[in-house]
Amino acid sequence: MDPKAMAYLGAGIGAGLTIIGGAAGIGRLAGAALEGIARQPNAAGDIRGAMIVAAGLIEGVTFFALIVTILLAIK
Amino acid sequence: MIAAALLLAAALGQEAHQPAHDPSPAATEHAAATDHAAPADHGAAAGAHEEGHGPSDVLMHHVTDQPFAPFGIHLGNSKHLIFFVIAALLVILLAQLARRGYRAGGVPTGLAAAMETMVVFVRDEIAEKNIGHDGRRFTPLLLSFFFFILVAALFGLLPFSATSTGNLAVTLALATVSFFAGQWAGIRNFGVVHHFTGLVPPGMPMWLLPIMIPVEILGLFSKPFALMIRLFANMLAGHMVITALLLLIPLMARITPVAGIAMAPVSIGLALFIMILEVLVAFIQAYIFTLLTSIFIGMYAHPAH
C-alpha cells in the first residue's frame, strides 16, 4: 500500500478514535455533573466550575491527539 | 494596571514571536483559495484552476503565518504579529474607555457596565476563589489574559484577519508569563529555597524522593506546556474546520459543477454553525486559560490546600 495512503488512513482512524475518547470523557463528566446539580442545586456554581476545568483538561489531551492526526494528514 | 501587565505580555510575545517567523514559509504565492468572505463562487473558480495545490496546502495556508499586504501595502512579514498588536491595542483602548465611564462618578453606564460584569466575575469567581485573600494582587494579570485571549479570538473571526493566539509562539509567551506569575507567587510567600522544597508534599518517605522530585519538576513545566498547547490547538482547530467545510465546495465542483453548487448551501450552513461555536469557544478558552492560571498560582502560593 502507498505510504501516503496509509498516512491518510491512519489520520482518519486516529481522528475518529480521538473523538470517541474525548466524547466519552466529557460525556461522563457532564452526566455526573448534571446528576450532582440535580441532587444538590445549591452547589450548581461550584460543580459547574469544577466541570469546566476537568472538561478543559480532557479537551487538552484530545487536542494533542488531534494535532498528531493533522500532522499525519498534511505530510 | 491592566495596561502595564498587558505591555509586559506584548513585549514577551513579540520577543518570542520574532525568531519563530524568520524562516518565512515559501507558501507566499499560494492564492488564498477560500476566505471567509467569498466562499461560493470564488471557491469553485479556485478549484478549477488550482490543480497544483492539494486541499491540505490551502488548509495550511489558511492557518499558518504569512506576510501581510492589504491593498498592496506590505505591512511586514507576519500577519499574526500585526493582529497580535491590534488585539493588544484594542484591549488597552477598551480598558481606557471603560475607565472613562467611572469618571462622572456613580453607576457606570454603557461599555463600562459591560466590562465591569466581566472584571468582577474574574476578580470574585476566578482570582479570589482560587488564589485566596491575596487574589486581588493577581487580578490585573488575570484580566489582561482574559481580555487579550477573548479579543484575539474574536478578531480572528473577522474576514481577512488572523487569530494571533493560533500561533504557537504567542501562546508560548502567554504560558511563560503564567508560569513566572506562579513561581513569583510561591517565592514571594516562602522564599526561594522553601518554595522549591515545598513542591514535594511534606511527610514523604525518604526512599520515594528519587521518584517524586523528577515527577514534581516535570509537573512544574507540564502545566504551562498544557496551557500553551490547549489554547493554540483550540484556536487552530476551529479555523481548520471552517476552511475544510468551505473546501468541500471546490472539491465537489471538481467532480461535477452541479455537485459543487448543491454542496454550497450545506457547506456555508455548517461553516456558519462552526463560526457561531467559535464565538462560544473564544469565551470558554479565555475563561479556562484564566482559571487554570489562577489555580496554578493558588497552588504555588498556598500549597497546603
Side-chain angles (χ1 to χ4, degrees), chain B residues 98-175:
Chain B
R99 265 185 59 206
R100 187 161 296 175
Y102 289 91
R103 207 159 280 167
V107 181
T109 53
L111 180 70
M115 293 277 283
E116 192 189 89
T117 318
M118 291 192 264
V119 168
V120 169
F121 175 77
V122 171
R123 190 192 66 194
D124 292 349
E125 297 295 317
I126 297 181
E128 296 207 331
K129 200 174 262 185
N130 292 304
I131 302 176
H133 54 89
D134 51 349
R136 212 164 263 250
R137 187 190 300 274
F138 291 97
T139 309
L141 177 71
L142 297 175
L143 280 173
S144 36
F145 276 146
F146 184 84
F147 282 107
F148 174 70
I149 293 169
L150 180 65
V151 167
L154 291 179
F155 230 88
L157 295 179
L158 298 177
F160 306 111
S161 70
T163 312
S164 50
T165 40
N167 188 314
L168 208 46
V170 174
T171 57
L172 171 69
L174 289 174

Side-chain angles (χ1 to χ4, degrees), chain B residues 23-303:
Chain B
S24 171
T28 56
E29 62 268 21
H30 290 196
T34 48
D35 246 314
H36 297 168
D41 47 351
H42 190 154
H49 70 78
E50 285 207 29
E51 291 291 335
H53 303 310
S56 63
D57 292 325
V58 179
L59 210 58
M60 284 318 282
H61 172 83
H62 182 72
V63 291
T64 49
D65 206 0
Q66 50 189 301
F68 187 46
F71 313 113
I73 310 159
H74 191 68
L75 277 180
N77 249 339
S78 170
K79 196 173 179 179
H80 284 160
L81 182 60
I82 304 281
F83 281 95
F84 176 84
V85 172
I86 291 175
L89 289 179
L90 196 67
V91 171
I92 294 174
L93 186 76
L94 275 175
Q96 294 302 320
L97 285 178
R99 265 185 59 206
R100 187 161 296 175
Y102 289 91
R103 207 159 280 167
V107 181
T109 53
L111 180 70
M115 293 277 283
E116 192 189 89
T117 318
M118 291 192 264
V119 168
V120 169
F121 175 77
V122 171
R123 190 192 66 194
D124 292 349
E125 297 295 317
I126 297 181
E128 296 207 331
K129 200 174 262 185
N130 292 304
I131 302 176
H133 54 89
D134 51 349
R136 212 164 263 250
R137 187 190 300 274
F138 291 97
T139 309
L141 177 71
L142 297 175
L143 280 173
S144 36
F145 276 146
F146 184 84
F147 282 107
F148 174 70
I149 293 169
L150 180 65
V151 167
L154 291 179
F155 230 88
L157 295 179
L158 298 177
F160 306 111
S161 70
T163 312
S164 50
T165 40
N167 188 314
L168 208 46
V170 174
T171 57
L172 171 69
L174 289 174
T176 309
V177 174
S178 147
F179 172 71
F180 280 116
Q183 297 309 306
W184 182 76
I187 289 170
R188 200 176 57 87
N189 279 6
F190 301 109
V192 176
V193 175
H194 196 179
H195 166 62
F196 286 110
T197 53
L199 288 178
V200 179
M204 194 64 72
M206 215 42 185
W207 57 271
L208 265 182
L209 285 183
I211 307 170
M212 282 312 284
I213 290 173
V215 166
E216 291 296 335
I217 291 175
L218 208 63
L220 204 62
F221 292 106
S222 70
K223 284 167 197 150
F225 183 74
L227 278 182
M228 170 179 92
I229 296 288
R230 175 176 307 111
L231 184 60
F232 164 70
N234 267 291
M235 292 304 133
L236 193 75
H239 287 255
M240 273 195 150
V241 170
I242 292 171
T243 318
L245 285 174
L246 292 180
L247 262 178
L248 282 179
I249 302 171
L251 286 181
M252 289 302 238
R254 202 173 285 180
I255 303 169
T256 52
V258 180
I261 291 167
M263 197 63 205
V266 180
S267 268
I268 292 171
L270 285 173
L272 191 66
F273 167 71
I274 299 289
M275 277 196 111
I276 294 167
L277 196 69
E278 278 294 286
V279 176
L280 193 69
V281 165
F283 280 91
I284 291 176
Q285 286 310 313
Y287 173 65
I288 284 185
F289 194 99
T290 317
L291 185 68
L292 288 177
T293 300
S294 74
I295 287 174
F296 296 152
I297 289 173
M299 205 181 271
Y300 293 126
H302 308 287

